[in-house]
Amino acid sequence: MTPQSLKLDLADVGLHCEETHNDILQQDIVDVRSALQPSSLQAFLIAGSTEIVSARAAKLRTGARQVLTARLTSGAHELVDVLADADQKIQNLLLILGSAKAGTHGFVKELIAGDRAGQELFSAVNAPHKSARPFVEQLVARSGRGGRLTKWVSGYGSPALSLLARLAELDQEPLATSTWTPDPTGGITGPYMTMLGNVIYGEHFDQLRKRYEAVSQPFPGIEAPYDPGTKRMKTGDAIVKFFKDTCQGVITTVAQQVDKGDLEALITTYIEPVMSQDDYVLPGDRFIYLAQDYDAQQQLAFGVGIVSLHYELTVKDYKRKSKHGGDTHDVTLPMHARGIQYPGAVGFSNACLDNRYVTGKCESCCRDAKDWYRDNPQYGTWPADNKDCPPVS
């Protein structure tokens, strides 16, 4: 993040006043960074909910084609007509592959490095002189036969595409590149990402809390509502405060601090174009997928976790200047944070059991994790009382 990039973001929401001078913005960035600390708890994915195309169209009182055109790169516009009536999960996937958002686009480019099939498809989606229309039409045809998106894309030979399909099934999209980009061919990503996305989901999180209480076990999840009420401040100050409070919300939600670089990547995803002429209203959420003590060479982590943030920042009359009633504004920032961590062999076992409890399914990675701890006992022992996921044969 630089003063120049932050200035462009602020211009997107209509702020061109003295609060966006480079020297002021540089101090704002320093203030934010000073509150962040390095950590062994690192993010492998920063995501947000994919706004459903039909819901977005209804909100804007427009059609699906207009929404798709606005959110896709120019090279992907030729896919709009076939996507407009496609399955929601297919729309999610193509809105990731052809996203006009710089953070999403950059994440996908890093993810597909070394994945030839993924690179060819990414190019076909975004390059004006190429076409991914046959790919989309095949997905639409397969969706008519039922099943899951991950199954529909499994035949394309692209691990990156399969990982993005898992994210699309969760109705999420990547928003920034974090400390390290997941290796779609193995490691802790893929199935673990699906499990973490399942357990942090609001209703599932509440079900798990009740389950742990019923068996008198400590629940590994933490919940932290936050509402500072209404405050008067300058618009620029409000957005910087939002950055700081968001970071603090993450830090206080998890058992230990999230890595400094990941929090900086997280806060750069928040400023978005305004949709109101009078008030700046920014509702939304973020999901931070975490790995503990990740070893990049061996693709090993000794714990996983996830944090979710749900928020709504409102700056009243945000464009008003001094001669129209002062340069301070009423600002509200209600926020709700949830976090859950699964450290060590017991943690991985609990993640498998929790996912099975809320979905009825046991992911293949659970068998792999149990076998790995059997072969590497120096790192811990898989709980003998876990006979359900993976099932004892």
Side-chain angles (χ1 to χ4, degrees):
M1 186 200 306
T2 66
Q4 290 76 21
S5 66
L6 183 54
K7 189 171 185 176
L8 289 173
D9 287 337
L10 292 170
D12 281 342
V13 300
L15 294 176
H16 302 277
C17 60
E18 67 278 3
E19 296 170 45
T20 63
H21 289 170
N22 283 354
D23 55 343
I24 296 177
L25 294 178
Q26 180 61 56
Q27 186 57 50
D28 291 341
I29 292 171
V30 170
D31 289 345
V32 172
R33 284 176 171 163
S34 66
L36 308 179
Q37 301 295 327
S39 171
S40 61
L41 189 63
Q42 298 177 338
F44 63 87
L45 176 64
I46 297 171
S49 289
T50 302
E51 188 170 21
I52 306 307
V53 170
S54 59
R56 178 76 167 178
K59 180 188 296 184
L60 298 179
R61 298 181 181 179
T62 186
R65 287 171 173 78
Q66 287 85 347
V67 173
L68 289 164
T69 299
R71 293 177 58 186
L72 291 167
T73 61
S74 58
H77 285 174
E78 59 101 14
L79 301 173
V80 166
D81 61 330
V82 68
L83 279 176
D85 299 316
D87 179 271
Q88 172 189 315
K89 306 303 182 185
I90 296 176
Q91 291 179 344
N92 289 349
L93 178 61
L94 268 296
L95 284 168
I96 294 173
L97 289 169
S99 178
K101 296 179 181 178
T104 305
H105 193 83
F107 175 89
V108 175
K109 286 187 70 174
E110 288 209 18
L111 183 70
I112 62 176
D115 184 329
R116 183 173 179 179
Q119 291 173 342
E120 291 177 352
L121 177 60
F122 183 71
S123 177
V125 169
N126 294 284
H129 61 284
K130 296 183 179 182
S131 177
R133 193 179 187 92
F135 166 75
V136 178
E137 290 175 341
Q138 287 177 359
L139 283 186
V140 171
R142 291 179 181 181
S143 69
R145 298 193 289 268
R148 296 174 58 182
L149 179 62
T150 46
K151 180 180 180 181
W152 305 338
V153 305
S154 60
Y156 289 95
S158 169
L161 181 62
S162 295
L163 188 145
L164 293 176
R166 285 182 176 273
L167 198 57
E169 286 183 338
L170 292 168
D171 293 327
Q172 294 179 19
E173 61 181 344
L175 294 175
T177 302
S178 44
T179 299
W180 49 277
T181 303
D183 181 350
T185 62
I188 69 162
T189 56
Y192 284 109
M193 186 180 72
T194 296
M195 291 199 301
L196 293 170
N198 286 333
V199 299
I200 203 66
Y201 177 67
E203 293 181 6
H204 292 169
F205 191 88
D206 293 338
Q207 290 172 11
L208 289 172
R209 186 204 315 276
K210 293 177 182 177
R211 171 179 172 267
Y212 276 84
E213 290 175 352
V215 295
S216 300
Q217 291 184 356
F219 179 49
I222 302 173
E223 197 163 18
Y226 171 72
D227 188 350
T230 301
K231 298 190 177 182
R232 296 281 296 180
M233 60 187 68
K234 292 184 178 181
T235 302
D237 293 339
I239 294 177
V240 173
K241 181 179 184 300
F242 180 43
F243 286 171
K244 293 180 179 178
D245 289 344
T246 299
C247 295
Q248 189 62 37
V250 175
I251 292 170
T252 58
T253 300
V254 297
Q256 55 185 294
Q257 291 181 334
V258 178
D259 186 79
K260 173 179 178 178
D262 292 324
L263 289 176
E264 185 173 333
L266 170 69
I267 62 180
T268 63
T269 72
Y270 277 98
I271 298 179
E272 297 178 0
V274 68
M275 291 188 57
S276 168
Q277 294 300 313
D278 300 316
D279 301 335
Y280 177 67
V281 181
L282 178 61
D285 55 36
R286 293 294 182 267
F287 300 90
I288 306 99
Y289 291 77
L290 302 166
Q292 178 70 49
D293 297 316
Y294 180 67
D295 184 326
Q297 289 188 334
Q298 299 186 69
Q299 294 185 28
L300 294 176
F302 297 92
V304 291
I306 186 170
V307 172
S308 70
L309 294 172
H310 298 265
Y311 57 87
E312 183 169 292
L313 172 69
T314 301
V315 183
K316 301 291 288 184
D317 296 326
Y318 76 103
K319 288 186 178 180
R320 191 190 64 234
K321 300 295 187 265
S322 297
K323 63 181 180 180
H324 298 300
D327 59 357
T328 60
H329 310 263
D330 287 339
V331 179
T332 58
L333 179 59
M335 180 183 296
H336 197 103
R338 289 189 178 102
I340 192 164
Q341 285 186 272
Y342 296 108
V346 173
F348 280 112
S349 173
N350 285 337
C352 291
L353 290 171
D354 288 353
N355 178 71
R356 183 180 183 275
Y357 182 79
V358 297
T359 67
K361 300 175 183 177
C362 185
E363 293 283 350
S364 60
C365 62
C366 296
R367 171 66 65 186
D368 296 337
K370 181 179 181 179
D371 291 346
W372 187 86
Y373 277 104
R374 179 199 62 203
D375 297 336
N376 298 272
Q378 69 273 27
Y379 294 110
T381 302
W382 191 267
D385 57 355
N386 178 357
K387 302 182 184 302
D388 297 320
C389 187
V392 176
S393 55

